[in-house]
Structure formats: C-alpha cells, structure tokens
C-alpha cells in the first residue's frame, strides 16, 4: 500500500521522500513495532516521557507550578503510578477558567509552530487549546496507522460528511480534493476525497453520496443511522461502498447492526477529540478499541479515583504525552469507558471495550444510580403499526421528569403515546413522567453533533 512520491529530481523508484514524509514514515516504522510490545513494556516506555512532560509543565506553565506545589509534588517526586495519581484531575471547567495560564511560556523550537485549536464543544462554550508541529505529526501518524490497520485500498475514494463553517462545502456539490490529506499524500496512493458540510439534509447527503459513489464513508454515527434508513426507504444503494468510518459521537451498537443489515458492511470507529487528538482506534480484528499509548496516557478511574479493572466502567482521564505548548496532565475529558481485557490480536496497547459517551448523556435515576440509555426505536417489531418517528430527542429535566421531542408525520394517538412512553421508560430504567412535544425539526448542536438523550440534572461527583 505504501507508495512513496519521490522528491529528488530524476528518481522515481524507490521514492526518496522529503523531510515531512520522512518524519511520518520514521514514526510509522516505530508504531509498527511498538504496537506489539507487552502492556508492561509500554508502561515502562511511557514513564520517562511522562516525567519529561511533567518537568516541562512545572518549569514553564504557571498554572501547573502553583497546582503541583499545592499538593507538595515537585516533578522529582514522581517515582511511580501512586505518585502520578496524586496529580489532581483537571476538569474541562478548570481548563476553561485557567485560559492562557495553561500555556507554556517556553515551547522548544523543535516542536514546530504553535497553532490554536478551538473546540466547539456541544455545551456551547468553546475551549481554546494549543497544538504544535509535533502534535500534528502524531495526529498524522495515527491517521496513517488507522488506514494501515484497516487495509484501505489504493485508489479508494473517500467521502466525508463533517462539521465545517456554514459557508464551506455546501450541498449539492460539496468540495473535492485529489488526495486524503497530509497523513497519506505522497505516501499512500489514495484516490480522491470529497467533503460535504454536515449542515445539509439527509436527502441532500444521500444524493451527494450517490453522485460521489465512494469506497469509504467517514462521518458521525447519527448521520450513518439516518442514511441507512433513508437508503432503505428509497430502495437506492451505494454499490461501491466498502467501509463506514465513524467519529465524533458515541457509536451505539445498533448502528453497527444497521450498517451490517442494510449495507452488508462493517463500521470502523475511532475515538478522538479536537483538543487532544487520537485516544483510541478500533482493533483491526475486533470491534473494541486500542488506546494509542505512544501518544497518550489514558486512565479509566472509578468514583474513588482508582483505576478500573477489566469489565468496569469509569471516567476517562487523559494525558497527551507530547503537547509542550499546552500540557494537559490528567485531563478529565468528560467521557466514560469500559476497560477491556488484553486483546487476542496480540497488540499490547490497552483495550477499551466500550466508549459509553459523555456525562451529559447519562441518565440519573432517583436512587442516584446512573446509566447511558440506549433508546432504540427503529428496530422494534412492535413499531410496525406506528407512524414513522423521523427524529427524537429525550431530555431529562429532573429526577422524576423527562421531555421527549418528536418529529412525526402526524401526532400520535393517546394510545400510541402511551406505548411510546413505556418504551422510553424501559430504556431509561425508571418510570419517569414523560411529556411529549411535537416539533418540525431537532437541530444538531453547533458542533454538528446529535444526541438521542441529554440530561439536564446537575451531575455530582464528576470531578476530583
Ligand atoms: Zn486487538
């Protein structure tokens, strides 16, 4: 699959790459090997890198000097995991409040240009993060690893439906480029890529996809689900499609099932975030995820702040290893995940068996227990005689009440409403009092994301 474009005049084969591609290939050469290290060997290699990052944060970031001094933890004091866990967990709200005090006063020149990344955040409050040439290199390296892991074919056409500024890549045309971007250009002979703005209707997306006839579709899980329904209803097909790739939202198991049933294809999901890059990629052989430990330390912690064992669910706390412009030490990203046992594929990279979604997508029951509801309406057999529910969103308003927004071609009868309430109560795990509100459309968030369920009850115990 590797097909290097030579930058030396007169030489085409084997290709001699320029400096950017050389770095990326040198990284790939290492990643090919480090994935087979044992879990213990990976921890051993992360340790000195974490020590360097911590020292850099303490020396050059005012916020960390104060924070680490407060817990009596100068970097020299970190000897092992117990010391590491004395570093207080950093919440998103703290990152927002700290602002530029989290920026390093001295980024080594070799880390390349510092760039600003604004994350849109579904809560509406943007978060300003910094990246460097080095963090960009790692982003590209893990993107390339994902393509190699999943053996994407030469010449394959990629169609992406993603969140972009409103005026960019609008339907019906979207925009086209000759390659898939810097992670592959000049290294892998990909085909062209086409992009459509997510702020388009399902019908526009379907028409665009039919014209583009892609090998690969990359978009949010909720878009995939809507498209499978749309194509099923219209009887149309995407004959060239080989694989569906998802990112940006929780991938519910039913979406994998829907794609398998309607298109006969598998879904490859990735777990990443704008401010910290890749956290985990789907195993080439299984549907769970491998933490990208060469780039990030991922801790999954229980309510007491202790690491979860395989099978347990906890808060995801991350430390990107190489961001020297805005070091984030033990940043609580707001997601929950289930720790998995080591993977039979032989890779030592830690396993997350499920990503359970964000805290705000978690229901809180009156007894204080919490769960991520999976409200599945399209697959129910007893829904056959129901008017189609085109869109819905359930919002938990209090410990006893929830509101369900509905888009249907006609209002439901009282009997239908009662059945619907029953299904939602079953999914939520409690007989909430559910009010139904009929709307014309349920908009996506500013970030282009869509949530089936959102909780507005004050969440407690979320940050250390
Ligand atoms: Zn694996």
């Amino acid at each position: 699959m590797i097909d290097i474009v030579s930058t030396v005049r007169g030489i085409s084969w084997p290709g001699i790459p320029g400096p950017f591609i050389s770095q990326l290939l040198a990284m790939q050469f290492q990643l090919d090997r480090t994935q087979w290290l044992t879990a213990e060997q990976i921890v051993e290699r992360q340790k000195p890198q974490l020590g360097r990052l911590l020292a850099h944060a303490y020396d050059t970031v005012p916020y960390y000097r104060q924070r680490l001094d407060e817990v009596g933890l100068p970097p020299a004091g970190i000897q092992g995991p117990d010391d590491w866990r004395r570093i207080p967990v950093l919440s998103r709200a703290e990152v927002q409040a700290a602002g530029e005090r989290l920026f390093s006063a001295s980024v080594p020149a070799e880390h390349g240009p510092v760039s600003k990344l604004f994350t849109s955040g579904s809560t509406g409050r943007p978060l300003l993060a910094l990246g460097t040439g080095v963090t960009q290199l790692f982003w590209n390296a893990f993107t390339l690893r994902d393509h190699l892991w999943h053996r994407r074919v030469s010449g394959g056409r990629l169609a992406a439906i993603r969140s972009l500024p409103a005026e960019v890549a609008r339907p019906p045309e979207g925009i086209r480029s000759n390659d898939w971007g810097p992670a592959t250009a000049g290294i892998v002979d990909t085909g062209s890529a086409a992009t459509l703005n997510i702020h388009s209707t399902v019908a526009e997306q379907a028409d665009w996809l039919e014209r583009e006839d892609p090998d690969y579709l990359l978009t949010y899980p909720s878009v995939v689900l809507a498209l499978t329904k749309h194509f099923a209803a219209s009887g149309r097909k995407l004959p060239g499609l080989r694989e569906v790739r998802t990112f940006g939202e929780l991938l519910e198991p039913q979406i994998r099932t829907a794609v398998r049933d309607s298109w006969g294809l598998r879904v490859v999901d990735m777990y990443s975030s704008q401010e910290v890059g890749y956290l985990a990629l789907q195993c080439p052989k299984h549907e769970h995820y491998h933490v990208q430990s060469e780039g990030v330390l991922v801790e999954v912690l229980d309510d007491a702040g202790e690491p979860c064992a395989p099978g347990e669910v906890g808060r995801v706390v991350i430390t990107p290893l190489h961001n020297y412009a805005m070091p984030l030490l033990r940043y609580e990203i707001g997601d929950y995940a289930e720790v998995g046992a080591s993977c039979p594929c032989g890779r030592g990279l830690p396993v997350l068996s499920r990503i359970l979604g964000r805290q705000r997508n978690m229901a809180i029951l009156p007894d204080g227990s919490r769960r991520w509801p999976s409200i599945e309406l399209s697959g129910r057999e007893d829904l056959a005689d129901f008017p189609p529910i085109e869109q819905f969103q359930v919002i938990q308003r209090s410990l006893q009440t929830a509101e369900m927004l509905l888009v249907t071609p006609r209002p439901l009868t009282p009997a239908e409403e009662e059945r619907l309430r029953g299904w939602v109560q079953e999914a939520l795990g409690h007989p909430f009092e559910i009010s139904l509100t009929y709307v014309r459309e349920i908009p996506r968030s500013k970030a282009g994301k869509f949530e089936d369920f959102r909780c507005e009850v004050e969440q407690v115990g979320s940050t250390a």
Side-chain angles (χ1 to χ4, degrees):
M1 184 184 183
I2 297 273
D3 187 11
I4 306 295
V5 172
S6 188
T7 55
V8 175
R9 214 178 311 168
I11 295 177
S12 65
W13 185 82
I16 303 177
F20 177 83
I21 289 176
S22 299
Q23 274 197 334
L24 199 46
L25 288 172
M27 195 57 70
Q28 207 54 53
F29 181 85
Q30 295 176 77
L31 295 183
D32 271 351
R33 285 153 183 77
T34 52
Q35 63 184 332
W36 304 112
L37 295 174
T38 65
E40 295 73 23
Q41 288 170 328
I42 289 169
V43 169
E44 279 309 307
R45 279 162 175 74
Q46 277 186 334
K47 220 187 273 173
Q49 182 57 41
L50 286 167
R52 284 169 187 273
L53 176 73
L54 188 67
H56 172 76
Y58 185 77
D59 289 342
T60 74
V61 183
Y63 185 86
Y64 278 115
R65 172 149 300 225
Q66 189 186 352
R67 197 176 172 97
L68 295 169
D69 278 342
E70 273 168 12
V71 294
L73 199 71
I78 302 281
Q79 303 296 336
D82 290 341
D83 289 328
W84 180 255
R85 285 201 287 278
R86 284 165 59 203
I87 300 173
V89 168
L90 184 70
S91 70
R92 187 179 169 92
E94 285 174 311
V95 173
Q96 279 165 331
E100 298 192 357
R101 287 187 300 136
L102 270 169
F103 296 175
S104 168
S106 173
V107 183
E110 303 87 333
H111 283 242
V114 173
S115 53
K116 284 184 177 177
L117 318 156
F118 284 96
T119 75
S120 34
S122 322
T123 46
R125 283 191 66 191
L127 184 145
L128 171 60
L130 299 183
T132 63
V134 167
T135 61
Q136 193 58 41
L137 172 65
F138 276 93
W139 174 271
N140 287 323
F142 291 125
T143 304
L144 181 56
R145 170 186 259 179
D146 188 63
H147 294 321
L148 297 173
W149 272 10
H150 296 285
R151 299 175 170 276
R152 298 193 178 113
V153 298
S154 292
R157 284 185 310 279
L158 173 69
I161 301 173
R162 55 166 86 227
S163 179
L164 293 163
E167 67 283 2
V168 179
R170 299 204 54 79
E173 293 88 8
I175 45 171
R176 282 231 183 97
S177 54
N178 290 331
D179 56 55
W180 292 11
T184 44
I187 298 179
V188 178
D189 182 21
T190 65
S192 60
T195 305
L196 186 71
N197 198 313
I198 198 163
H199 296 287
S200 43
T201 66
V202 179
E204 286 168 337
Q205 292 165 5
D207 290 346
W208 176 79
L209 283 170
E210 275 196 309
R211 285 197 306 274
E212 292 295 335
D213 187 24
D215 295 85
Y216 301 99
L217 168 62
L218 172 68
T219 190
Y220 295 144
S222 59
V223 173
V224 172
L225 189 61
L227 283 168
T228 55
K229 287 179 192 172
H230 185 90
F231 276 96
S234 68
R236 297 188 301 185
K237 294 212 155 34
L238 291 173
L241 197 62
R242 299 162 183 268
E243 181 190 84
V244 174
R245 303 170 57 201
T246 53
F247 72 104
E249 293 169 343
L250 173 65
L251 177 70
E252 300 262 12
Q254 76 235 26
I255 297 177
R256 289 192 190 274
T257 310
V259 171
R260 206 161 17 227
D261 290 353
S262 44
W263 293 344
L265 297 175
R266 66 176 194 149
V267 177
V268 175
D269 190 33
M270 60 192 95
Y271 181 30
S272 63
S273 110
Q274 279 173 297
E275 68 264 40
V276 297
Y278 286 102
L279 301 175
L281 295 174
Q282 186 171 318
C283 175
K285 296 224 157 37
H286 301 90
E287 286 185 350
H288 54 223
Y289 305 79
H290 281 292
V291 172
Q292 299 301 290
S293 298
E294 300 93 341
V296 63
L297 170 68
V298 173
E299 300 171 81
V300 181
L301 304 178
D302 64 18
D303 285 344
E306 294 298 317
C308 291
E312 291 177 348
V313 170
R315 299 177 282 142
V316 177
V317 171
I318 57 163
T319 306
L321 301 181
H322 307 109
N323 190 333
Y324 272 44
M326 183 178 169
L328 291 172
L329 306 178
R330 307 196 82 211
Y331 171 46
E332 180 174 2
I333 193 166
D335 294 331
Y336 282 68
E338 181 183 316
V339 175
S342 60
C343 184
C345 78
R347 289 175 180 80
L349 299 168
V351 173
L352 300 176
S353 39
R354 291 184 298 160
I355 317 291
L356 286 151
R358 299 192 78 89
Q359 198 170 6
R360 65 173 182 280
N361 305 127
M362 184 167 69
I364 306 182
L365 308 195
D367 67 1
S369 63
R370 299 171 290 186
R371 60 187 290 168
W372 286 268
S374 176
I375 306 170
E376 177 44 54
L377 295 178
S378 53
R380 300 186 71 99
E381 286 189 6
D382 45 1
L383 203 68
D385 55 342
F386 231 71
I389 295 171
E390 290 161 11
Q391 244 191 326
F392 72 89
Q393 186 175 48
V394 176
I395 305 161
Q396 183 180 356
R397 302 285 192 194
S398 75
L399 285 178
Q400 297 296 346
T401 60
E403 181 181 6
M404 185 174 198
L405 306 181
L406 278 173
V407 182
T408 51
R410 64 159 172 84
L412 305 182
T413 65
E416 288 168 340
E417 287 191 343
E418 220 27 58
R419 280 167 67 197
L420 182 63
R421 283 196 185 91
W423 296 332
V424 174
Q425 287 165 341
E426 185 186 300
L428 297 182
H430 179 77
F432 286 98
E433 199 180 299
I434 296 167
S435 59
L436 303 181
T437 306
Y438 295 89
V439 292
R440 291 177 63 86
E441 187 197 7
I442 300 173
R444 291 179 171 274
S445 74
K446 255 177 94 179
K449 300 192 181 183
F450 186 75
E451 295 166 327
D452 283 354
F453 178 83
R454 199 173 77 228
C455 178
E456 290 189 345
V457 180
E458 185 83 16
Q459 312 254 359
V460 289
S462 65
T463 49

